[in-house]
Amino acid sequence: MDVNAPADPTSTTVADDPMRLSQRGQLVELIGSDGDAIHFSTVWLRDMCSCPECVHPSGQRLIDPAGFTDELVVVEARVEAGVATVRWGPDGHTSQYVLAELEAVAPPHTGGARQPWAAELAGHIPAARHDAIAGDDSELHRWLSGVEHRGVGVLHGVPIADGEVARVAELFGHVRVTNYGRYFDVRTQIDPANLANTSLALGPHTDNPYRDPVPTMQLLHCLSSSATGGENVVVDGFRVAEQIRADDPAGFAALADCDVTFTYSDAHTHLAATRPILELDRTGQVRAVCFNSRSMLPPVMATDTQALWYSAYRHFARLLADPGFQARIVLTPGDLFIVDNRRVLHGRTGYSAGDGNRHLQGCYADIDGLRSKIAVLARTL
Ligand code: FE2
């Protein structure tokens, strides 16, 4: 997206609505409901016209793309009550667009949905009560939308029962069954295969980077927590990545360019997956963060890249440990938190296994199911 395109002298904006539409060179700029700018080409917007000349009542499209000219231009754009009326030149065709619908499909667009945060999110993490979201679609929609925007959410009053965590996942989607089962216990074990099942502190990390594809949502449900310590922390990996991009552009590029391999092995399983720490989309926006030093193999890369990569990797680790980026979550029995596992890293402080009990159950699910539920609920709200 070229946000620096020179303004076209023929641009016209009539803004009697918070959402605005105007032409900037060969781009059209939409100021969305959240104030973010979204850009798309004039030809794309013209192709989105759904007037009876352009779309048959069956929903099939009548537009012949061969008819678009290089001279296509927005002559006038008026916005009223969230609907833009655009008059096109040179042919004088008129199109109408519901801007909220345009905002939802404008490519590539993940913008408005992701609201970066740092420590200030503590106390403002999207939260709800379990009985409210289970019985009220508008409350479920509100909570799930918050989870999508922030990448994290908290639920209170979840029944303290075995496997309830998986039933929460089924309020919005499907459980991702893995070699750990439909759901799994997180508590101190003797001779554990995973450090999660010790009382050790765990730095902020994403889960299961050794799977391909990686689970995109994780839920953790607290069944008991009488031990001292064991507080959870969450960190917005997108926010940290942008800090690294600003501080050290070359190091940021190294984290995005170099693949590393993550593994997990026990008596019945051997998993391995290779991916970069930062995965970018074609516009350069961070699409996924993968950070888990416990399961990362020694990185294989050119010697002259190692120092740069490790400098950025260490910087990443230091920012994750910086309280300025961390939001704390204190789980009491019946609380649950959910994270977007490709964005928000989670960790915990160490706890004393000798003076109490700490028992969590977790499960995995996927964000496409969560987004689907939000969209389907929105049809009737
Ligand atoms: Fe974890």
Side-chain angles (χ1 to χ4, degrees), residues 80-357:
E80 288 180 21
V83 176
T85 302
V86 175
R87 189 158 59 82
W88 295 99
D91 66 354
H93 187 84
T94 298
S95 304
Q96 286 201 318
Y97 305 95
V98 177
L99 292 185
E101 293 176 2
L102 209 53
E103 188 179 18
V105 299
H109 180 53
T110 52
R114 49 196 281 176
Q115 299 169 350
W117 49 268
E120 79 286 349
L121 190 70
H124 306 284
I125 293 174
R129 288 203 55 83
H130 177 267
D131 53 359
I133 66 162
D136 179 346
D137 280 354
S138 65
E139 183 65 0
L140 178 59
H141 181 269
R142 183 194 65 78
W143 185 65
L144 293 178
S145 298
V147 172
E148 190 194 11
H149 292 156
R150 297 298 197 173
V152 60
V154 172
L155 207 51
H156 302 292
V158 180
I160 301 171
D162 184 60
E164 192 63 32
V165 66
R167 288 185 280 278
V168 169
E170 288 169 342
L171 291 173
F172 66 82
H174 302 281
V175 172
R176 171 96 74 97
V177 179
T178 71
N179 58 301
Y180 300 143
R182 180 172 140 78
Y183 60 93
F184 49 87
D185 291 295
V186 181
R187 60 182 161 194
T188 306
Q189 292 176 358
I190 296 170
D191 200 18
N194 193 316
L195 290 184
N197 292 318
T198 69
S199 59
L200 295 172
L202 299 176
H205 60 276
T206 58
D207 253 42
N208 287 202
Y210 38 77
R211 294 188 201 284
D212 190 6
V214 76
T216 49
M217 303 299 300
Q218 182 182 11
L219 297 85
L220 278 170
H221 176 209
C222 179
L223 296 175
S224 69
S225 66
S226 57
T228 304
E231 283 182 4
N232 289 94
V233 296
V234 286
V235 178
D236 184 354
F238 289 173
R239 174 73 183 79
V240 168
E242 291 309 320
Q243 190 67 47
I244 293 175
R245 193 198 309 253
D247 294 345
D248 177 12
F252 175 89
L255 291 179
D257 288 344
C258 296
D259 282 339
V260 288
T261 296
F262 300 88
T263 63
Y264 171 83
S265 189
D266 63 22
H268 308 288
T269 308
H270 184 88
L271 295 165
T274 299
R275 47 173 55 94
I277 302 288
L278 300 177
E279 182 187 337
L280 309 185
D281 67 17
R282 284 194 298 276
T283 69
Q285 182 163 245
V286 179
R287 187 208 305 269
V289 170
C290 185
F291 189 98
N292 191 321
S293 57
R294 282 178 284 144
S295 58
M296 190 178 77
L297 292 180
V300 177
M301 63 187 66
T303 307
D304 57 1
T305 306
Q306 286 175 350
L308 178 65
W309 187 90
Y310 264 101
S311 173
Y313 182 60
R314 286 189 346 253
H315 189 25
F316 202 123
R318 284 195 293 266
L319 292 178
L320 293 178
D322 182 339
F325 286 96
Q326 295 183 341
R328 279 182 184 267
I329 300 175
V330 178
L331 295 178
T332 59
D335 291 341
L336 171 151
F337 78 88
I338 181 170
V339 288
D340 174 346
N341 189 46
R342 291 182 303 178
R343 170 180 175 182
V344 171
L345 302 92
H346 62 283
R348 68 160 190 239
T349 59
Y351 65 95
S352 169
D355 66 357
N357 191 21

Side-chain angles (χ1 to χ4, degrees), residues 1-73:
M1 292 187 291
D2 180 8
V3 296
N4 297 314
D8 187 310
T10 63
S11 295
T12 308
T13 302
V14 177
D16 60 354
D17 195 286
M19 300 175 83
R20 298 197 309 278
L21 193 74
S22 60
Q23 184 162 354
R24 292 165 60 89
Q26 287 303 303
L27 299 176
V28 175
E29 180 178 83
L30 167 65
I31 304 298
S33 54
D34 55 8
D36 283 355
I38 305 167
H39 299 89
F40 28 78
S41 68
T42 51
V43 66
W44 182 89
L45 185 63
R46 175 65 186 84
D47 196 27
M48 290 302 105
C49 181
S50 58
C51 79
E53 263 182 63
C54 296
V55 178
H56 186 266
S58 65
Q60 300 226 320
R61 311 179 76 205
L62 299 168
I63 293 183
D64 178 2
F68 297 146
T69 76
D70 292 341
E71 285 73 46
L72 187 68
V73 65

